Amino acid sequence: MSSNEHRLVQCNEKDQETLLIFKKGINASYDQIPSWSAEKDCCVWEGVHCDNITGRVIELHLSEQGLEGEMNLSILQLEFLSYLDLSFNEFDVINIPATLHNFTHPSNLFYLDLYDSFRHMDNLDWLSPLSSLKYLNLSRMDLHKETNWLQAVNTLPSLLELRLSYCNLNNFIINQSIEFSNLSSLLTLHLYGNNFTSQLPSSFFNFTKDLTYLNFQGSNIHGGLPNLSPMVESVDLSYNSFSGSIPRSWKNLKDLIYINTWSNKLSGEALVHLSDWTQLTMMNLGANEFSGTIPINMSQNLNMIILRANQFEGTIPTQLFDLPSLFHLDLAHNKLSGSMPKCAYNLTQMVTFHVDSTPYFFTLELFTKGQDYYVEHANPIRRTIDLSANNLSGELPLKLFQLFQVQTLNLSHNNFIGTIPKTIGGMKYIESLDLSNNKLSGEIPHSMALLNFLEYLNLSCNNFHGKIPIGTQLQSFNASSYIGNPKLCGAPLNNCTTEKDNEKSRGHEDGDSITESLYLGMGVGFAAGFWGICGSLFLIRKWRHACYRFVDGVGDKLYVTLMVKLNSFCRN
């Protein structure tokens, strides 16, 4: 029921007629538009808001109503309409009346949202009379046939927020003499998800000095980085072709909270400004050609740091592991060297469990479990440390393995030595562990058999030895997780024997050899004695006769004795 149902002032007749014209071309799957009846005052219709005094229609809230059919823009002729939201509907036809360009009154409309409500639109000329418009969202509307979109939005002098994301703005005509002075009031600009084939004019970026939110993600933009307002809070230029270095003016971005320049062609020492960005919480400068060292001083509010795939060098500063809100650290594929800091790792988010798991609207490439993932919303419950593919050396610090909430740990392709700390068994939430291609040694700790959530493991190409600890988790991985460790054995590798088994085996072998030698010697001795005696009997006649007489004598004695015993038995 509309909040205006108990009003005494009636709806303006002209406004009601305009609304009924709009309704005429609509098919609605929900109950909102069908409630619009000529028999009722339009100020009590669902989604319609009227002025309490004049009864004129001032707002229309028709988002997510399943509206289909024709979108008749004659609705913009409502004289006092200030707010129109038709987002998330399914119109397939648009009707732009010719009279729309001949407004007899100044437009009061300041908010227009057509997000994902209509698929195709050939031109934006109908925008020009809307001189009071402050918010315009045409995202996910195919505008590839509109080559004058820049000129169209430039006719809106009051515009504060412009959203043209995923509009297929890949072709446009530019009048080089045009000045974009009418866009000087713009604070928020979203052009992400387009694929520009033409280069935006340099004059287009002149107005960006007052922008607070800037998002050009994935639009193939080429016009160096633009100068930004010192008031800017959010900048997303990812997946473009920006080149050159970060402008010096960016040093003054004291209010910057979010910056994303992932996958561009930027270079230079980007992090020289980092210590000045004291409010920064999320930073992604990955997949560029930035160089220099990581500064000691940085914002204590940082919860995401992504410097992956650049040319950063030097050591990892101790202060980096003293950021209480940090839950995602990715320094992989750089030229960092030296050992890991030997300090208390006060990364509170990675040590203790936090109930608050509200996702951040921060798109990133997540490298975990041996694969790449594209994540639209970064979630603080997924805690990640990736230092792979650098020149890091020294032993693995014990404190690192006391970050018990970490789910992804990748230290592969470095020069680490020493053993895996036994405390790794306390990292009970870890899902992905990669220590491959280092110089680690020793036995695999038995505590690793307690890692019940482990889905990916790579310990290959190290110097581990001994038997792989027995547990359902460690034996579930295939041999590729352990290869390249010549002295490592046990399932899923080949069965192995310990040193005691080797000694026991050698003992059995020695005993068997002695026994065999003894039996062999006895056999030979017996044969030699047998044939020595028998041979003598057969060859020496005197001995042979003596042997016969002895055997006969023994036989006679045995016979006599037997008979005596038998007679005695019978008498009894």
Side-chain angles (χ1 to χ4, degrees):
M1 181 180 294
S2 171
S3 60
N4 298 314
E5 185 164 354
H6 299 290
R7 299 169 32 82
L8 295 178
V9 179
Q10 292 185 341
C11 173
N12 179 270
E13 183 178 348
K14 184 178 180 182
D15 288 354
Q16 182 157 327
E17 181 180 349
T18 302
L19 291 175
L20 289 174
I21 292 174
F22 174 75
K23 177 191 174 184
K24 188 175 181 180
I26 290 177
N27 300 318
S29 59
Y30 297 163
D31 295 331
Q32 187 141 304
I33 292 297
S35 70
W36 291 14
S37 171
E39 299 175 359
K40 293 183 179 180
D41 187 277
C42 75
C43 289
V44 300
W45 293 353
E46 293 294 333
V48 179
H49 295 260
C50 296
D51 184 90
N52 291 328
I53 299 176
T54 65
R56 303 303 296 264
V57 176
I58 56 175
E59 295 184 10
L60 292 176
H61 297 259
L62 301 174
S63 177
E64 297 184 84
Q65 296 304 311
L67 305 181
E68 301 174 351
E70 178 186 85
M71 179 196 293
N72 194 329
L73 289 184
S74 62
I75 200 170
L76 295 175
Q77 293 178 320
L78 290 168
E79 188 174 353
F80 291 91
L81 185 66
S82 61
Y83 185 103
L84 176 58
D85 187 353
L86 294 173
S87 60
F88 297 103
N89 284 294
E90 300 177 12
F91 295 104
D92 50 21
V93 177
I94 191 165
N95 184 353
I96 306 176
T99 55
L100 194 61
H101 300 286
N102 301 319
F103 268 53
T104 57
H105 57 82
S107 172
N108 290 309
L109 191 67
F110 73 85
Y111 186 99
L112 177 58
D113 192 346
L114 302 182
Y115 180 89
D116 203 19
S117 62
F118 184 73
R119 294 302 177 192
H120 303 279
M121 185 172 289
D122 292 345
N123 71 81
L124 298 178
D125 294 341
W126 53 274
L127 288 174
S128 57
L130 308 179
S131 58
S132 299
L133 206 60
K134 297 182 183 297
Y135 177 95
L136 176 60
N137 191 349
L138 302 179
S139 295
R140 295 194 178 276
M141 183 179 293
D142 191 343
L143 299 174
H144 78 276
K145 292 184 179 180
E146 171 55 277
T147 59
N148 293 316
W149 64 272
L150 268 177
Q151 288 87 330
V153 298
N154 194 45
T155 63
L156 306 174
S158 303
L159 200 60
L160 299 177
E161 183 164 345
L162 175 61
R163 295 177 177 264
L164 296 175
S165 301
Y166 299 105
C167 287
N168 202 15
L169 297 173
N170 57 4
N171 187 24
F172 50 90
I173 299 174
I174 290 296
N175 183 349
Q176 294 297 335
S177 63
I178 190 173
E179 293 291 336
F180 297 97
S181 57
N182 281 342
L183 295 177
S184 59
S185 60
L186 202 63
L187 298 178
T188 299
L189 177 61
H190 287 249
L191 291 177
Y192 62 86
N194 292 289
N195 188 20
F196 293 111
T197 57
S198 302
Q199 186 170 343
L200 288 170
S202 56
S203 57
F204 177 74
F205 292 104
N206 289 339
F207 70 87
T208 58
K209 58 181 174 44
D210 293 322
L211 282 175
T212 303
Y213 295 92
L214 179 64
N215 193 333
F216 289 164
Q217 177 187 345
S219 290
N220 195 32
I221 297 178
H222 297 269
L225 295 174
N227 291 317
L228 299 176
S229 165
M231 305 294 290
V232 70
E233 297 178 4
S234 176
V235 178
D236 193 335
L237 307 175
S238 59
Y239 297 100
N240 282 289
S241 299
F242 286 107
S243 59
S245 59
I246 290 181
R248 291 184 179 180
S249 61
W250 283 28
K251 180 181 177 66
N252 300 318
L253 306 183
K254 307 292 185 182
D255 297 322
L256 189 64
I257 297 175
Y258 167 98
I259 182 170
N260 189 350
T261 65
W262 174 269
S263 188
N264 278 279
K265 300 176 181 178
L266 298 168
S267 59
E269 297 190 12
L271 300 182
V272 294
H273 306 307
L274 190 59
S275 58
D276 297 304
W277 298 340
T278 56
Q279 302 301 315
L280 197 63
T281 61
M282 292 172 282
M283 175 176 64
N284 186 351
L285 305 182
N288 282 284
E289 300 172 10
F290 289 126
S291 59
T293 59
I294 301 176
I296 296 177
N297 298 320
M298 57 187 69
S299 170
Q300 289 294 303
N301 300 313
L302 278 165
N303 51 47
M304 294 189 70
I305 299 177
I306 303 174
L307 304 178
R308 185 185 189 92
N310 279 286
Q311 303 293 322
F312 292 114
E313 55 188 4
T315 59
I316 301 177
T318 301
Q319 290 78 0
L320 196 61
F321 294 97
D322 198 27
L323 300 175
S325 301
L326 191 67
F327 66 83
H328 187 95
L329 175 63
D330 188 349
L331 308 180
H333 292 270
N334 279 286
K335 297 181 178 179
L336 299 173
S337 59
S339 60
M340 292 284 291
K342 293 179 174 59
C343 63
Y345 283 47
N346 295 320
L347 303 174
T348 308
Q349 279 279 4
M350 298 190 186
V351 177
T352 58
F353 177 77
H354 292 270
V355 178
D356 184 16
S357 59
T358 304
Y360 293 85
F361 292 95
F362 188 101
T363 58
L364 74 151
E365 298 273 353
L366 181 64
F367 301 87
T368 183
K369 302 177 185 177
Q371 299 183 40
D372 303 347
Y373 299 88
Y374 182 81
V375 180
E376 291 189 355
H377 306 301
N379 199 321
I381 65 171
R382 175 155 295 284
R383 300 166 174 89
T384 301
I385 296 179
D386 193 341
L387 307 178
S388 60
N390 279 286
N391 296 316
L392 299 173
S393 58
E395 296 186 349
L396 299 177
L398 180 64
K399 298 294 184 180
L400 179 64
F401 292 88
Q402 293 177 349
L403 301 176
F404 299 133
Q405 298 294 325
V406 170
Q407 291 172 297
T408 296
L409 177 62
N410 191 346
L411 304 178
S412 65
H413 294 274
N414 280 289
N415 296 304
F416 289 116
I417 60 173
T419 61
I420 301 176
K422 296 179 181 179
T423 53
I424 193 173
M427 303 179 75
K428 56 183 179 179
Y429 297 108
I430 196 163
E431 298 176 4
S432 178
L433 176 64
D434 193 343
L435 302 178
S436 63
N437 290 276
N438 278 286
K439 299 176 182 178
L440 298 171
S441 59
E443 295 185 344
I444 298 175
H446 287 276
S447 61
M448 283 187 64
L450 304 175
L451 303 178
N452 295 325
F453 290 98
L454 196 61
E455 297 180 16
Y456 177 85
L457 175 66
N458 194 347
L459 302 179
S460 64
C461 301
N462 279 285
N463 297 311
F464 294 118
H465 66 260
K467 189 173 183 179
I468 298 173
I470 298 176
T472 54
Q473 209 65 21
L474 296 184
Q475 271 66 49
S476 66
F477 302 106
N478 59 42
S480 63
S481 296
Y482 303 99
I483 60 173
N485 295 280
K487 298 182 180 180
L488 192 63
C489 55
L493 299 178
N494 295 328
N495 289 332
C496 58
T497 55
T498 62
E499 189 64 28
K500 291 183 179 179
D501 292 333
N502 291 333
E503 292 178 1
K504 188 175 181 180
S505 177
R506 285 195 297 270
H508 283 306
E509 292 175 357
D510 293 343
D512 291 343
S513 298
I514 294 173
T515 302
E516 291 176 0
S517 300
L518 178 61
Y519 288 157
L520 182 62
M522 291 174 63
V524 171
F526 176 80
F530 177 81
W531 287 111
I533 295 174
C534 293
S536 300
L537 293 176
F538 285 108
L539 296 176
I540 304 175
R541 179 183 300 179
K542 185 177 181 179
W543 285 20
R544 182 167 64 248
H545 291 169
C547 181
Y548 289 157
R549 287 194 297 271
F550 172 78
V551 171
D552 286 341
V554 172
D556 291 339
K557 289 181 180 180
L558 287 175
Y559 176 77
V560 171
T561 302
L562 179 62
M563 293 305 293
V564 171
K565 293 285 185 182
L566 182 61
N567 292 330
S568 176
F569 177 77
C570 292
R571 286 196 298 268
N572 295 331

